[in-house]
Amino acid sequence: MISIKKQILVSLFYFLIASSLGILLRLFPVANVNATYKYLVHTHSHIALLGWVYVALTSLIFHLCIKDDVQKKYSRVFWCTQITIIGMLLSFPITGYAVFSIIFSTLFLICSYWFYLFFRKNNTCEKKSYSYKFINTSLLFMVFSSIGPWALGIIMNTLGNTSHWYKNAIYFYLHFQYNGWFIFCLLGIFLIFIEKNKINIDTKTLSTFYRNLTISCFLTLFLSFLWINPPKYIFVLSTLGVIFQLIALFQFHQILIGIKSQIAGNLTPFLYQLFKFIYVLFITKIILQFLSDIPYFSTLISQIIDFVIGYLHLTFLGLVSLSLFIFLAYFKLVKLSEFWVKIYLIGFIISEVLIFYKGFCNWQQLSIFENYYLILVLVSGLIPISVFGIFFQNIVKRRILINK
């Protein structure tokens, strides 16, 4: 049996590894790195998504929504999942997508199904509550996203990894991870925060927000397919998805306006300021998706990888990771130092500006400034440094408590 705080420390350790691998990847243009770039990209992405975010979210779900008397049973799910993640961490840098990494990736998917079944059987949430609806829907999106990885094997053996279907299977997976599993789960945890503090929300607006966001999640999938210049009906579906998403954003804004003073009253001033910054990132994410529905920009994005990386990092390092920091701190699962979070924010914001700057220069056919890659490495290095600071601080705090 492993305590919830140890689970969170495990997830933070994965975040430290993933962010350190990110710096190693950015060293390639400025130093001779004795490793295969593509293999490290696979390792970085898998440990970031499946190590840090998956473990942190499932640990929060376990802590907030699952019966206390099933901890021993849950430990089997947890440790089997860790074996698959460690297997990917060891195999991807050496072989890339090969026998062992594919085996561990497949076993991870099976463990994720196991977690969902465990949640359905042992959850303590009120089935009619919207927190349950969002979390249950998020887990269904997680399961649904796995169609992408399963399809990859078939596509590689039939059409090859150069076909459009290969990339589209990856985009299918990423879309339902980022816009389904991650976003819906975070909203569900946010609603648990609302319910625990007995904050009243207009349930009619919340109901239509849930419905419109769910519809938009399915339809905005087609934004990921615009790069292949698809039939017109794909453009129509993606546009409908963007419209539903904008309506959902407006409804979410109405909800937040009505309860902002109550949210502020239940968070520390620093966490509330962080919450407001995350909301700005959420709006920015939706604006970027709206722009990607315009044919000119959808073509541009497919040609300039920096825009894609900037968007993915904005969602992952900004919206998702910062939200996790807030919830972990609020539910007293980590001690969150303002100093280390500010270092993290400096690294995140400046690196995002630099990534989009390079994309803009490619778009306008301009030269980037001298020593760009070196500066990007140094600035991005603040992210693993800050994660290490948070991780180390919580290790020390835990040892002090044990000694007492």
Side-chain angles (χ1 to χ4, degrees), residues 163 167 177 179-180 222 232 275 281 295 307 330 356 371:
S163 73
K167 285 188 177 180
Q177 285 279 305
N179 300 297
F222 297 102
K232 287 185 179 179
F275 175 83
L281 293 178
F307 288 146
Y330 175 77
F356 278 106
N371 295 322

Side-chain angles (χ1 to χ4, degrees), residues 2 51 103 127 133 152 175 236 324 367 388 400:
I2 181 171
I103 289 171
K127 297 291 173 62
K133 286 184 179 181
L152 275 179
H175 172 78
V236 172
L324 282 170
S367 299
F388 175 78
I400 290 170

Side-chain angles (χ1 to χ4, degrees), residues 162-185:
T162 57
S163 73
H164 289 165
W165 287 104
Y166 179 84
K167 285 188 177 180
N168 284 340
I170 296 172
Y171 294 154
F172 180 96
Y173 173 73
L174 290 176
H175 172 78
F176 285 109
Q177 285 279 305
Y178 274 78
N179 300 297
W181 161 221
F182 295 169
I183 297 299
F184 275 75
C185 190

